[in-house]
Amino acid sequence: MFAAERRQLILEMVRANGAVSLRELARVVQTSEVTVRRDVRALEAEGLLDRRHGGAVLPGGFTRESGFPQKSHLATAEKTAIADLAASFVEEGEAIVVGAGTTTQELARRLARIPGLTVVTNSLLVAQALAHANRVEVVMTGGTLRGSNYALVGSGAEQSLQGLRVTRAFLSGSGLTAERGLSTSNMLSSSVDRALVQAAAEVVVLADHTKLGTDTMFQTVPTDLISRLVTDEPPAHADRAGAELQALADQGVRLSVAGAATAAGAGAGGADGAGGGVGGDVLPPGGRTRRDVPLPGQRRTHVAGPGPGAGPGGPGGPGGPGGQLRSAGAPLGAQETGERARVADLRRR
């Protein structure tokens, strides 16, 4: 097959599906992923499509939502790491809501290991992942089935969430920007996600770096309602993602970066050790390192509180549960300074 024919077929596949993985493109055009990546780069230069990590999508930020089969093959390693990290924030006996999406489906598989949970969801895939979990109660919303992502939507789903109150909501979406927050390409999905947010005391967004800086049609969670973003570390060439992380942090969103290798918190200063470091590392299910990244303008950083145990590692210490909030202008510890330097380095890439 000539290059022109191959690229025309690639373009037709992307237009038909909204998003297609490099692996699938290579299989259909019967060539290597290296060749397909070169073709996708050439088509992007002509403005005919946009590259994403592991695949290609329709050009422009306001694209239609791709189906589950396409999304399930994009950024799979990143979604796995994000799900491992997000599961580490859930404790036994909690009541949470989990929205629809391929990343939240990965999270649900890990939640099956945590006993005593009550999980409210509008996603058939999330419910399926938890169906045989020991001591996990699954509550499904009503609504109309949306086949493209196996989610229940519509007024039935929204009404079933009225009067509900849980500790956390875990949501994903099609795009995330500091200006508009989390967004999706489907109006019905956005309405249900907003109802899920209203039910939760804290909102945790799960988004890999390919979604950072992408803006889609319908806003689901404005930035000021996002408590935490769990994401992966952007590659060196992802300038837009690094800049968006900085902008989100400047607006008070707490960042947790999955898969980032770090020595911070080891020994004196680990979250579960005897030290007193700020937001030290722990190992979530799967063994990946958890990192909370404090940045300039961050509003949720802990410092030592008064009274007994206010020393390093104590209940009121920097890593303890009794810590108080520190203003952005307070002195930084060595670990936090190192974390800020690391994120500043992401912005320079």
Side-chain angles (χ1 to χ4, degrees):
M1 186 181 296
F2 293 110
E5 295 175 309
R6 194 171 59 240
R7 291 172 185 177
Q8 181 61 34
L9 181 55
I10 290 172
L11 190 57
E12 290 174 359
M13 289 183 62
V14 173
R15 285 173 175 171
N17 296 284
V20 187
S21 68
L22 292 179
R23 181 183 305 172
E24 180 65 12
L25 289 172
R27 184 187 68 79
V28 171
V29 302
Q30 298 182 345
T31 188
S32 68
E33 289 189 27
V34 174
T35 301
V36 167
R37 187 177 290 108
R38 186 164 56 245
D39 290 336
V40 168
R41 188 179 295 113
L43 290 169
E44 183 185 45
E46 297 178 33
L48 299 175
L49 52 73
D50 286 345
R51 285 185 298 161
R52 290 291 184 269
H53 183 78
V57 301
L58 290 173
F62 298 95
T63 57
R64 70 179 180 88
E65 184 179 25
S66 56
F68 172 79
Q70 291 77 36
K71 292 193 289 186
S72 63
H73 294 297
L74 295 175
T76 53
E78 290 83 352
K79 291 173 183 176
T80 299
I82 289 169
D84 284 341
L85 177 50
S88 71
F89 298 122
V90 181
E91 299 178 356
E92 293 186 16
E94 275 195 82
I96 62 175
V97 296
V98 179
T102 53
T103 311
T104 51
Q105 181 190 20
E106 288 295 323
L107 170 64
R109 291 175 177 142
R110 286 142 184 84
L111 295 179
R113 310 166 186 166
I114 305 175
L117 289 183
T118 299
V119 179
V120 181
T121 184
N122 69 318
S123 169
L124 298 185
L125 297 175
V126 169
Q128 182 183 40
L130 295 168
H132 301 292
N134 184 32
R135 295 177 57 196
V136 175
E137 182 178 2
V138 180
V139 179
M140 294 208 67
T141 69
T144 303
L145 177 63
R146 183 167 177 256
S148 62
N149 64 345
Y150 302 94
L152 297 172
V153 298
S155 60
E158 295 171 40
Q159 290 172 8
S160 67
L161 293 166
Q162 292 180 2
L164 180 70
R165 194 61 173 171
V166 298
T167 55
R168 292 185 184 88
F170 291 88
L171 298 176
S172 187
S174 302
L176 178 64
T177 66
E179 181 180 359
R180 290 185 71 223
L182 189 67
S183 61
T184 186
S185 303
N186 182 267
M187 182 173 63
L188 294 175
S189 295
S190 68
S191 296
V192 176
D193 282 353
R194 283 194 291 270
L196 292 173
V197 168
Q198 292 298 318
E202 178 182 346
V203 178
V204 181
V205 169
L206 313 182
D208 64 78
H209 72 270
T210 65
K211 297 178 180 178
L212 298 177
T214 298
D215 201 2
T216 52
M217 290 182 66
F218 301 99
Q219 183 192 57
T220 55
V221 190
T223 307
D224 60 352
L225 293 184
I226 300 175
S227 307
R228 183 188 299 272
L229 166 63
V230 185
T231 187
D232 61 295
E233 188 162 11
H237 58 80
D239 296 333
R240 181 175 67 173
E244 207 65 50
L245 281 178
Q246 179 67 57
L248 287 163
D250 287 343
Q251 295 197 35
V253 177
R254 189 166 183 82
L255 305 182
S256 297
V257 181
T262 178
D272 54 349
V278 179
D281 300 351
V282 300
L283 292 178
R288 289 176 174 81
T289 302
R290 173 178 123 192
R291 170 178 284 185
D292 291 336
V293 184
L295 296 170
Q298 184 71 36
R299 297 197 299 265
R300 298 181 176 85
T301 304
H302 286 78
V303 296
Q324 299 175 340
L325 295 180
R326 178 184 58 75
S327 66
L332 298 175
Q335 180 179 336
E336 186 174 354
T337 303
E339 294 285 9
R340 289 195 180 184
R342 189 187 71 82
V343 177
D345 179 62
L346 287 178
R347 295 187 65 197
R348 290 195 299 269
R349 292 178 180 180

